[in-house]
PDB file of all heavy atoms in Angstrom:
ATOM      1  N   ASP I  20      43.286  68.952 132.415  1.00  0.00           N
ATOM      2  CA  ASP I  20      42.332  67.945 131.928  1.00  0.00           C
ATOM      3  C   ASP I  20      41.000  67.929 132.688  1.00  0.00           C
ATOM      4  O   ASP I  20      39.943  67.847 132.087  1.00  0.00           O
ATOM      5  CB  ASP I  20      42.955  66.544 132.025  1.00  0.00           C
ATOM      6  CG  ASP I  20      44.192  66.418 131.197  1.00  0.00           C
ATOM      7  OD1 ASP I  20      44.266  67.089 130.132  1.00  0.00           O
ATOM      8  OD2 ASP I  20      45.103  65.674 131.572  1.00  0.00           O
ATOM      9  N   ARG I  21      41.074  68.050 133.982  1.00  0.00           N
ATOM     10  CA  ARG I  21      39.865  67.829 134.766  1.00  0.00           C
ATOM     11  C   ARG I  21      39.652  68.820 135.921  1.00  0.00           C
ATOM     12  O   ARG I  21      38.866  68.566 136.799  1.00  0.00           O
ATOM     13  CB  ARG I  21      39.818  66.405 135.297  1.00  0.00           C
ATOM     14  CG  ARG I  21      41.026  66.014 136.138  1.00  0.00           C
ATOM     15  CD  ARG I  21      41.031  64.554 136.443  1.00  0.00           C
ATOM     16  NE  ARG I  21      42.192  64.175 137.232  1.00  0.00           N
ATOM     17  CZ  ARG I  21      43.381  63.976 136.716  1.00  0.00           C
ATOM     18  NH1 ARG I  21      43.578  64.124 135.445  1.00  0.00           N
ATOM     19  NH2 ARG I  21      44.380  63.635 137.502  1.00  0.00           N
ATOM     20  N   GLY I  22      40.325  69.947 135.894  1.00  0.00           N
ATOM     21  CA  GLY I  22      40.213  70.875 137.006  1.00  0.00           C
ATOM     22  C   GLY I  22      38.978  71.773 136.839  1.00  0.00           C
ATOM     23  O   GLY I  22      38.820  72.438 135.823  1.00  0.00           O
ATOM     24  N   ASP I  23      38.093  71.798 137.832  1.00  0.00           N
ATOM     25  CA  ASP I  23      36.901  72.613 137.806  1.00  0.00           C
ATOM     26  C   ASP I  23      37.244  74.114 137.851  1.00  0.00           C
ATOM     27  O   ASP I  23      36.622  74.902 137.191  1.00  0.00           O
ATOM     28  CB  ASP I  23      35.976  72.289 138.967  1.00  0.00           C
ATOM     29  CG  ASP I  23      35.433  70.854 138.865  1.00  0.00           C
ATOM     30  OD1 ASP I  23      35.319  70.356 137.737  1.00  0.00           O
ATOM     31  OD2 ASP I  23      35.064  70.306 139.912  1.00  0.00           O
ATOM     32  N   TRP I  24      38.266  74.480 138.630  1.00  0.00           N
ATOM     33  CA  TRP I  24      38.671  75.852 138.769  1.00  0.00           C
ATOM     34  C   TRP I  24      39.143  76.417 137.416  1.00  0.00           C
ATOM     35  O   TRP I  24      38.708  77.459 136.964  1.00  0.00           O
ATOM     36  CB  TRP I  24      39.802  75.940 139.783  1.00  0.00           C
ATOM     37  CG  TRP I  24      40.497  77.231 139.882  1.00  0.00           C
ATOM     38  CD1 TRP I  24      39.971  78.387 140.483  1.00  0.00           C
ATOM     39  CD2 TRP I  24      41.782  77.568 139.337  1.00  0.00           C
ATOM     40  NE1 TRP I  24      40.945  79.372 140.339  1.00  0.00           N
ATOM     41  CE2 TRP I  24      42.011  78.917 139.662  1.00  0.00           C
ATOM     42  CE3 TRP I  24      42.734  76.858 138.648  1.00  0.00           C
ATOM     43  CZ2 TRP I  24      43.208  79.566 139.306  1.00  0.00           C
ATOM     44  CZ3 TRP I  24      43.909  77.482 138.300  1.00  0.00           C
ATOM     45  CH2 TRP I  24      44.127  78.826 138.607  1.00  0.00           C
ATOM     46  N   PHE I  25      40.008  75.671 136.755  1.00  0.00           N
ATOM     47  CA  PHE I  25      40.519  76.089 135.467  1.00  0.00           C
ATOM     48  C   PHE I  25      39.397  76.079 134.426  1.00  0.00           C
ATOM     49  O   PHE I  25      39.302  76.966 133.566  1.00  0.00           O
ATOM     50  CB  PHE I  25      41.686  75.187 135.030  1.00  0.00           C
ATOM     51  CG  PHE I  25      42.312  75.597 133.720  1.00  0.00           C
ATOM     52  CD1 PHE I  25      43.074  76.729 133.633  1.00  0.00           C
ATOM     53  CD2 PHE I  25      42.146  74.800 132.604  1.00  0.00           C
ATOM     54  CE1 PHE I  25      43.636  77.109 132.460  1.00  0.00           C
ATOM     55  CE2 PHE I  25      42.733  75.172 131.395  1.00  0.00           C
ATOM     56  CZ  PHE I  25      43.487  76.320 131.321  1.00  0.00           C
ATOM     57  N   ALA I  26      38.550  75.071 134.468  1.00  0.00           N
ATOM     58  CA  ALA I  26      37.444  74.997 133.494  1.00  0.00           C
ATOM     59  C   ALA I  26      36.476  76.163 133.623  1.00  0.00           C
ATOM     60  O   ALA I  26      35.976  76.659 132.627  1.00  0.00           O
ATOM     61  CB  ALA I  26      36.671  73.667 133.716  1.00  0.00           C
ATOM     62  N   GLY I  27      36.269  76.636 134.854  1.00  0.00           N
ATOM     63  CA  GLY I  27      35.383  77.787 135.059  1.00  0.00           C
ATOM     64  C   GLY I  27      35.918  79.049 134.424  1.00  0.00           C
ATOM     65  O   GLY I  27      35.223  79.811 133.773  1.00  0.00           O
ATOM     66  N   ILE I  28      37.225  79.280 134.622  1.00  0.00           N
ATOM     67  CA  ILE I  28      37.835  80.475 134.033  1.00  0.00           C
ATOM     68  C   ILE I  28      37.932  80.330 132.514  1.00  0.00           C
ATOM     69  O   ILE I  28      37.661  81.280 131.764  1.00  0.00           O
ATOM     70  CB  ILE I  28      39.225  80.728 134.641  1.00  0.00           C
ATOM     71  CG1 ILE I  28      39.082  81.086 136.145  1.00  0.00           C
ATOM     72  CG2 ILE I  28      39.991  81.840 133.901  1.00  0.00           C
ATOM     73  CD1 ILE I  28      40.393  81.197 136.862  1.00  0.00           C
ATOM     74  N   ASP I  29      38.223  79.139 132.051  1.00  0.00           N
ATOM     75  CA  ASP I  29      38.281  78.893 130.599  1.00  0.00           C
ATOM     76  C   ASP I  29      36.909  79.107 129.946  1.00  0.00           C
ATOM     77  O   ASP I  29      36.822  79.646 128.842  1.00  0.00           O
ATOM     78  CB  ASP I  29      38.794  77.476 130.352  1.00  0.00           C
ATOM     79  CG  ASP I  29      39.046  77.212 128.891  1.00  0.00           C
ATOM     80  OD1 ASP I  29      39.602  78.110 128.192  1.00  0.00           O
ATOM     81  OD2 ASP I  29      38.730  76.119 128.406  1.00  0.00           O
ATOM     82  N   ALA I  30      35.851  78.710 130.620  1.00  0.00           N
ATOM     83  CA  ALA I  30      34.510  78.907 130.086  1.00  0.00           C
ATOM     84  C   ALA I  30      34.193  80.400 129.960  1.00  0.00           C
ATOM     85  O   ALA I  30      33.531  80.839 129.014  1.00  0.00           O
ATOM     86  CB  ALA I  30      33.485  78.217 130.987  1.00  0.00           C
ATOM     87  N   ARG I  31      34.648  81.199 130.926  1.00  0.00           N
ATOM     88  CA  ARG I  31      34.416  82.656 130.862  1.00  0.00           C
ATOM     89  C   ARG I  31      35.060  83.318 129.692  1.00  0.00           C
ATOM     90  O   ARG I  31      34.617  84.357 129.250  1.00  0.00           O
ATOM     91  CB  ARG I  31      34.870  83.331 132.172  1.00  0.00           C
ATOM     92  CG  ARG I  31      33.848  83.151 133.281  1.00  0.00           C
ATOM     93  CD  ARG I  31      34.000  84.090 134.366  1.00  0.00           C
ATOM     94  NE  ARG I  31      33.897  85.473 134.059  1.00  0.00           N
ATOM     95  CZ  ARG I  31      34.176  86.447 134.923  1.00  0.00           C
ATOM     96  NH1 ARG I  31      34.534  86.124 136.127  1.00  0.00           N
ATOM     97  NH2 ARG I  31      34.078  87.723 134.588  1.00  0.00           N
ATOM     98  N   VAL I  32      36.138  82.781 129.184  1.00  0.00           N
ATOM     99  CA  VAL I  32      36.866  83.374 128.080  1.00  0.00           C
ATOM    100  C   VAL I  32      36.583  82.614 126.765  1.00  0.00           C
ATOM    101  O   VAL I  32      37.319  82.752 125.813  1.00  0.00           O
ATOM    102  CB  VAL I  32      38.369  83.492 128.352  1.00  0.00           C
ATOM    103  CG1 VAL I  32      38.596  84.439 129.508  1.00  0.00           C
ATOM    104  CG2 VAL I  32      39.002  82.129 128.589  1.00  0.00           C
ATOM    105  N   GLY I  33      35.563  81.769 126.755  1.00  0.00           N
ATOM    106  CA  GLY I  33      35.166  81.100 125.527  1.00  0.00           C
ATOM    107  C   GLY I  33      35.984  79.889 125.141  1.00  0.00           C
ATOM    108  O   GLY I  33      36.034  79.551 123.975  1.00  0.00           O
ATOM    109  N   GLY I  34      36.636  79.263 126.087  1.00  0.00           N
ATOM    110  CA  GLY I  34      37.424  78.059 125.814  1.00  0.00           C
ATOM    111  C   GLY I  34      38.776  78.304 125.149  1.00  0.00           C
ATOM    112  O   GLY I  34      39.419  77.393 124.678  1.00  0.00           O
ATOM    113  N   VAL I  35      39.211  79.572 125.177  1.00  0.00           N
ATOM    114  CA  VAL I  35      40.461  79.948 124.526  1.00  0.00           C
ATOM    115  C   VAL I  35      41.677  79.329 125.242  1.00  0.00           C
ATOM    116  O   VAL I  35      42.629  78.948 124.608  1.00  0.00           O
ATOM    117  CB  VAL I  35      40.581  81.474 124.449  1.00  0.00           C
ATOM    118  CG1 VAL I  35      41.920  81.890 123.962  1.00  0.00           C
ATOM    119  CG2 VAL I  35      39.469  82.037 123.621  1.00  0.00           C
ATOM    120  N   LEU I  36      41.621  79.246 126.575  1.00  0.00           N
ATOM    121  CA  LEU I  36      42.781  78.780 127.307  1.00  0.00           C
ATOM    122  C   LEU I  36      43.115  77.323 127.006  1.00  0.00           C
ATOM    123  O   LEU I  36      44.286  77.022 126.742  1.00  0.00           O
ATOM    124  CB  LEU I  36      42.537  78.974 128.833  1.00  0.00           C
ATOM    125  CG  LEU I  36      42.323  80.423 129.268  1.00  0.00           C
ATOM    126  CD1 LEU I  36      42.044  80.456 130.761  1.00  0.00           C
ATOM    127  CD2 LEU I  36      43.531  81.267 128.929  1.00  0.00           C
ATOM    128  N   ARG I  37      42.135  76.441 127.069  1.00  0.00           N
ATOM    129  CA  ARG I  37      42.432  75.041 126.785  1.00  0.00           C
ATOM    130  C   ARG I  37      42.844  74.838 125.323  1.00  0.00           C
ATOM    131  O   ARG I  37      43.742  74.033 125.042  1.00  0.00           O
ATOM    132  CB  ARG I  37      41.214  74.157 127.129  1.00  0.00           C
ATOM    133  CG  ARG I  37      41.121  73.844 128.584  1.00  0.00           C
ATOM    134  CD  ARG I  37      40.423  72.547 128.799  1.00  0.00           C
ATOM    135  NE  ARG I  37      40.559  72.162 130.211  1.00  0.00           N
ATOM    136  CZ  ARG I  37      39.557  71.985 131.026  1.00  0.00           C
ATOM    137  NH1 ARG I  37      38.328  72.149 130.631  1.00  0.00           N
ATOM    138  NH2 ARG I  37      39.766  71.668 132.278  1.00  0.00           N
ATOM    139  N   ARG I  38      42.209  75.554 124.447  1.00  0.00           N
ATOM    140  CA  ARG I  38      42.542  75.430 123.025  1.00  0.00           C
ATOM    141  C   ARG I  38      44.011  75.909 122.786  1.00  0.00           C
ATOM    142  O   ARG I  38      44.773  75.203 122.135  1.00  0.00           O
ATOM    143  CB  ARG I  38      41.591  76.236 122.174  1.00  0.00           C
ATOM    144  CG  ARG I  38      41.786  76.010 120.699  1.00  0.00           C
ATOM    145  CD  ARG I  38      40.725  76.635 119.810  1.00  0.00           C
ATOM    146  NE  ARG I  38      40.551  78.071 120.058  1.00  0.00           N
ATOM    147  CZ  ARG I  38      39.445  78.651 120.541  1.00  0.00           C
ATOM    148  NH1 ARG I  38      38.411  77.873 120.844  1.00  0.00           N
ATOM    149  NH2 ARG I  38      39.378  79.935 120.726  1.00  0.00           N
ATOM    150  N   ALA I  39      44.357  77.035 123.378  1.00  0.00           N
ATOM    151  CA  ALA I  39      45.732  77.549 123.216  1.00  0.00           C
ATOM    152  C   ALA I  39      46.740  76.593 123.885  1.00  0.00           C
ATOM    153  O   ALA I  39      47.842  76.403 123.335  1.00  0.00           O
ATOM    154  CB  ALA I  39      45.872  78.941 123.826  1.00  0.00           C
ATOM    155  N   ALA I  40      46.382  76.073 125.040  1.00  0.00           N
ATOM    156  CA  ALA I  40      47.323  75.145 125.713  1.00  0.00           C
ATOM    157  C   ALA I  40      47.549  73.898 124.859  1.00  0.00           C
ATOM    158  O   ALA I  40      48.670  73.435 124.777  1.00  0.00           O
ATOM    159  CB  ALA I  40      46.749  74.756 127.073  1.00  0.00           C
ATOM    160  N   GLY I  41      46.528  73.414 124.213  1.00  0.00           N
ATOM    161  CA  GLY I  41      46.691  72.284 123.335  1.00  0.00           C
ATOM    162  C   GLY I  41      47.500  72.596 122.115  1.00  0.00           C
ATOM    163  O   GLY I  41      48.412  71.824 121.729  1.00  0.00           O
ATOM    164  N   GLU I  42      47.237  73.754 121.476  1.00  0.00           N
ATOM    165  CA  GLU I  42      47.958  74.119 120.296  1.00  0.00           C
ATOM    166  C   GLU I  42      49.432  74.414 120.539  1.00  0.00           C
ATOM    167  O   GLU I  42      50.296  74.122 119.708  1.00  0.00           O
ATOM    168  CB  GLU I  42      47.314  75.348 119.651  1.00  0.00           C
ATOM    169  CG  GLU I  42      45.971  75.053 119.019  1.00  0.00           C
ATOM    170  CD  GLU I  42      45.227  76.311 118.592  1.00  0.00           C
ATOM    171  OE1 GLU I  42      45.776  77.434 118.735  1.00  0.00           O
ATOM    172  OE2 GLU I  42      44.117  76.179 118.068  1.00  0.00           O
ATOM    173  N   GLU I  43      49.715  75.004 121.707  1.00  0.00           N
ATOM    174  CA  GLU I  43      51.092  75.379 122.014  1.00  0.00           C
ATOM    175  C   GLU I  43      51.835  74.320 122.839  1.00  0.00           C
ATOM    176  O   GLU I  43      52.951  74.521 123.301  1.00  0.00           O
ATOM    177  CB  GLU I  43      51.110  76.692 122.804  1.00  0.00           C
ATOM    178  CG  GLU I  43      50.543  77.878 122.013  1.00  0.00           C
ATOM    179  CD  GLU I  43      51.360  78.223 120.813  1.00  0.00           C
ATOM    180  OE1 GLU I  43      52.617  78.076 120.861  1.00  0.00           O
ATOM    181  OE2 GLU I  43      50.765  78.595 119.815  1.00  0.00           O
ATOM    182  N   ARG I  44      51.178  73.193 123.075  1.00  0.00           N
ATOM    183  CA  ARG I  44      51.763  72.066 123.825  1.00  0.00           C
ATOM    184  C   ARG I  44      52.137  72.480 125.248  1.00  0.00           C
ATOM    185  O   ARG I  44      53.183  72.097 125.765  1.00  0.00           O
ATOM    186  CB  ARG I  44      52.963  71.475 123.108  1.00  0.00           C
ATOM    187  CG  ARG I  44      52.575  70.834 121.814  1.00  0.00           C
ATOM    188  CD  ARG I  44      53.748  70.090 121.195  1.00  0.00           C
ATOM    189  NE  ARG I  44      53.312  69.506 119.935  1.00  0.00           N
ATOM    190  CZ  ARG I  44      53.878  69.768 118.765  1.00  0.00           C
ATOM    191  NH1 ARG I  44      54.875  70.640 118.719  1.00  0.00           N
ATOM    192  NH2 ARG I  44      53.460  69.218 117.663  1.00  0.00           N
ATOM    193  N   PHE I  45      51.298  73.298 125.857  1.00  0.00           N
ATOM    194  CA  PHE I  45      51.517  73.676 127.254  1.00  0.00           C
ATOM    195  C   PHE I  45      51.049  72.502 128.117  1.00  0.00           C
ATOM    196  O   PHE I  45      49.909  72.072 128.056  1.00  0.00           O
ATOM    197  CB  PHE I  45      50.682  74.951 127.576  1.00  0.00           C
ATOM    198  CG  PHE I  45      50.800  75.375 129.015  1.00  0.00           C
ATOM    199  CD1 PHE I  45      51.877  76.101 129.418  1.00  0.00           C
ATOM    200  CD2 PHE I  45      49.829  75.016 129.925  1.00  0.00           C
ATOM    201  CE1 PHE I  45      52.003  76.500 130.748  1.00  0.00           C
ATOM    202  CE2 PHE I  45      49.941  75.426 131.243  1.00  0.00           C
ATOM    203  CZ  PHE I  45      51.008  76.175 131.659  1.00  0.00           C
ATOM    204  N   ARG I  46      51.960  71.966 128.940  1.00  0.00           N
ATOM    205  CA  ARG I  46      51.672  70.791 129.754  1.00  0.00           C
ATOM    206  C   ARG I  46      51.733  71.088 131.227  1.00  0.00           C
ATOM    207  O   ARG I  46      51.744  70.186 132.046  1.00  0.00           O
ATOM    208  CB  ARG I  46      52.638  69.659 129.416  1.00  0.00           C
ATOM    209  CG  ARG I  46      52.553  69.210 127.969  1.00  0.00           C
ATOM    210  CD  ARG I  46      51.219  68.486 127.723  1.00  0.00           C
ATOM    211  NE  ARG I  46      51.120  68.131 126.284  1.00  0.00           N
ATOM    212  CZ  ARG I  46      50.213  68.648 125.482  1.00  0.00           C
ATOM    213  NH1 ARG I  46      49.324  69.515 125.912  1.00  0.00           N
ATOM    214  NH2 ARG I  46      50.166  68.273 124.206  1.00  0.00           N
ATOM    215  N   ALA I  47      51.844  72.339 131.639  1.00  0.00           N
ATOM    216  CA  ALA I  47      51.901  72.773 133.025  1.00  0.00           C
ATOM    217  C   ALA I  47      53.123  72.270 133.759  1.00  0.00           C
ATOM    218  O   ALA I  47      53.110  72.004 134.952  1.00  0.00           O
ATOM    219  CB  ALA I  47      50.610  72.408 133.775  1.00  0.00           C
ATOM    220  N   LYS I  48      54.209  72.090 133.038  1.00  0.00           N
ATOM    221  CA  LYS I  48      55.456  71.711 133.674  1.00  0.00           C
ATOM    222  C   LYS I  48      55.934  72.876 134.521  1.00  0.00           C
ATOM    223  O   LYS I  48      55.615  74.032 134.252  1.00  0.00           O
ATOM    224  CB  LYS I  48      56.494  71.376 132.618  1.00  0.00           C
ATOM    225  CG  LYS I  48      56.069  70.320 131.635  1.00  0.00           C
ATOM    226  CD  LYS I  48      56.884  69.075 131.845  1.00  0.00           C
ATOM    227  CE  LYS I  48      56.487  68.033 130.846  1.00  0.00           C
ATOM    228  NZ  LYS I  48      55.627  67.026 131.354  1.00  0.00           N
ATOM    229  N   LEU I  49      56.695  72.608 135.552  1.00  0.00           N
ATOM    230  CA  LEU I  49      57.100  73.640 136.519  1.00  0.00           C
ATOM    231  C   LEU I  49      57.827  74.799 135.794  1.00  0.00           C
ATOM    232  O   LEU I  49      58.801  74.567 135.109  1.00  0.00           O
ATOM    233  CB  LEU I  49      58.005  73.041 137.559  1.00  0.00           C
ATOM    234  CG  LEU I  49      58.481  73.990 138.660  1.00  0.00           C
ATOM    235  CD1 LEU I  49      57.280  74.544 139.429  1.00  0.00           C
ATOM    236  CD2 LEU I  49      59.428  73.306 139.616  1.00  0.00           C
ATOM    237  N   GLY I  50      57.277  75.993 135.897  1.00  0.00           N
ATOM    238  CA  GLY I  50      57.861  77.191 135.316  1.00  0.00           C
ATOM    239  C   GLY I  50      57.507  77.434 133.868  1.00  0.00           C
ATOM    240  O   GLY I  50      57.817  78.500 133.322  1.00  0.00           O
ATOM    241  N   GLN I  51      56.859  76.483 133.225  1.00  0.00           N
ATOM    242  CA  GLN I  51      56.455  76.673 131.820  1.00  0.00           C
ATOM    243  C   GLN I  51      55.402  77.765 131.712  1.00  0.00           C
ATOM    244  O   GLN I  51      54.512  77.839 132.594  1.00  0.00           O
ATOM    245  CB  GLN I  51      55.900  75.362 131.248  1.00  0.00           C
ATOM    246  CG  GLN I  51      55.553  75.382 129.782  1.00  0.00           C
ATOM    247  CD  GLN I  51      54.976  74.071 129.291  1.00  0.00           C
ATOM    248  OE1 GLN I  51      54.626  73.218 130.102  1.00  0.00           O
ATOM    249  NE2 GLN I  51      54.908  73.919 127.999  1.00  0.00           N
ATOM    250  N   THR I  52      55.484  78.645 130.717  1.00  0.00           N
ATOM    251  CA  THR I  52      54.521  79.721 130.595  1.00  0.00           C
ATOM    252  C   THR I  52      53.877  79.771 129.220  1.00  0.00           C
ATOM    253  O   THR I  52      54.412  79.277 128.239  1.00  0.00           O
ATOM    254  CB  THR I  52      55.215  81.076 130.822  1.00  0.00           C
ATOM    255  OG1 THR I  52      56.249  81.290 129.881  1.00  0.00           O
ATOM    256  CG2 THR I  52      55.772  81.173 132.229  1.00  0.00           C
ATOM    257  N   LEU I  53      52.690  80.377 129.171  1.00  0.00           N
ATOM    258  CA  LEU I  53      51.949  80.598 127.970  1.00  0.00           C
ATOM    259  C   LEU I  53      51.108  81.851 128.140  1.00  0.00           C
ATOM    260  O   LEU I  53      50.384  81.959 129.143  1.00  0.00           O
ATOM    261  CB  LEU I  53      51.039  79.386 127.660  1.00  0.00           C
ATOM    262  CG  LEU I  53      50.059  79.543 126.496  1.00  0.00           C
ATOM    263  CD1 LEU I  53      50.831  79.620 125.176  1.00  0.00           C
ATOM    264  CD2 LEU I  53      49.081  78.372 126.469  1.00  0.00           C
ATOM    265  N   ILE I  54      51.175  82.777 127.198  1.00  0.00           N
ATOM    266  CA  ILE I  54      50.382  83.996 127.275  1.00  0.00           C
ATOM    267  C   ILE I  54      49.311  83.952 126.210  1.00  0.00           C
ATOM    268  O   ILE I  54      49.573  83.649 125.044  1.00  0.00           O
ATOM    269  CB  ILE I  54      51.262  85.236 127.068  1.00  0.00           C
ATOM    270  CG1 ILE I  54      52.334  85.300 128.147  1.00  0.00           C
ATOM    271  CG2 ILE I  54      50.433  86.532 127.107  1.00  0.00           C
ATOM    272  CD1 ILE I  54      53.393  86.407 127.899  1.00  0.00           C
ATOM    273  N   VAL I  55      48.047  84.267 126.632  1.00  0.00           N
ATOM    274  CA  VAL I  55      46.914  84.209 125.725  1.00  0.00           C
ATOM    275  C   VAL I  55      46.146  85.530 125.847  1.00  0.00           C
ATOM    276  O   VAL I  55      45.915  86.035 126.943  1.00  0.00           O
ATOM    277  CB  VAL I  55      45.971  83.047 126.107  1.00  0.00           C
ATOM    278  CG1 VAL I  55      44.772  82.985 125.161  1.00  0.00           C
ATOM    279  CG2 VAL I  55      46.708  81.721 126.143  1.00  0.00           C
ATOM    280  N   HIS I  56      45.787  86.119 124.722  1.00  0.00           N
ATOM    281  CA  HIS I  56      44.955  87.299 124.671  1.00  0.00           C
ATOM    282  C   HIS I  56      43.473  86.848 124.675  1.00  0.00           C
ATOM    283  O   HIS I  56      43.091  85.955 123.932  1.00  0.00           O
ATOM    284  CB  HIS I  56      45.237  88.145 123.429  1.00  0.00           C
ATOM    285  CG  HIS I  56      46.581  88.787 123.469  1.00  0.00           C
ATOM    286  ND1 HIS I  56      46.762  90.028 123.955  1.00  0.00           N
ATOM    287  CD2 HIS I  56      47.754  88.330 123.130  1.00  0.00           C
ATOM    288  CE1 HIS I  56      48.053  90.367 123.876  1.00  0.00           C
ATOM    289  NE2 HIS I  56      48.694  89.329 123.378  1.00  0.00           N
TER     290      HIS I  56
END
């Protein structure tokens, strides 16, 4: 939601990471994984 580190990497890939995390219901629970091209 508010991490600058994650937001910086997400910005470099065009916002794909946050969008995919929302669509796939990735909530960063311990050990949960999501792969994005």
